[in-house]
Amino acid sequence: HTQTNYLRGQVLKRQSGNLANSLQYRMVSNHAVRIGPGMVYGAAHEFGIPLSAGFYIYPRRAKALRFEYRGQIVYAKRVRQYVPQRPWLAPAIQDYFDSGKGDRLAEATLQEYLDRL
């Protein structure tokens, strides 16, 4: 559900597919699961990174970054950057449970265990 509805351009533009393919889950108890991305930048997209965090972009193959800002060409050795919040996982999970699919899955799983007993 997350890969189809939230990682195909509606919230984040899909480039490599690494974030979509990195979703992991882990059972933390008999009735709870922890879900999250396996990529470090998944949390950065979900929660954002404030400008005050000192996140910088540096040139990789040149001495300076070159970009256009307010109609002027600008060169810089580094640029302080922030990442805005782009929630993708929490809304997908909320939609899933709002649709009733989570309840149906829980009922089916419970019935399966009861049938075994």
Side-chain angles (χ1 to χ4, degrees):
H1 180 78
T2 301
Q3 291 174 352
T4 302
N5 296 314
Y6 287 88
L7 293 173
R8 296 219 188 260
Q10 296 88 331
V11 176
L12 298 174
K13 287 191 174 189
R14 188 180 188 124
Q15 291 181 358
S16 67
N18 290 338
L19 182 59
N21 295 328
S22 76
L23 289 175
Q24 302 171 348
Y25 71 92
R26 180 171 59 98
M27 296 298 294
V28 293
S29 70
N30 286 338
H31 56 279
V33 64
R34 180 169 286 153
I35 302 170
M39 306 302 286
V40 175
Y41 59 87
H45 284 300
E46 185 78 18
F47 304 111
I49 298 175
L51 190 59
S52 62
F55 180 93
Y56 287 98
I57 296 175
Y58 294 92
R60 290 174 62 185
R61 296 186 183 100
K63 291 183 180 182
L65 298 165
R66 179 185 185 271
F67 55 94
E68 187 175 328
Y69 180 72
R70 295 184 181 176
Q72 303 265 333
I73 299 298
V74 178
Y75 294 91
K77 291 192 179 212
R78 68 180 185 177
V79 176
R80 181 175 265 185
Q81 183 64 31
Y82 80 100
V83 177
Q85 285 184 330
R86 290 176 279 209
W88 55 277
L89 186 55
I93 292 169
Q94 187 65 51
D95 284 354
Y96 180 80
F97 284 100
D98 287 349
S99 72
K101 291 178 183 176
D103 292 337
R104 289 191 295 275
L105 178 61
E107 288 173 11
T109 303
L110 178 59
Q111 187 61 51
E112 182 181 321
Y113 282 113
L114 290 173
D115 290 345
R116 286 184 198 169
L117 293 174

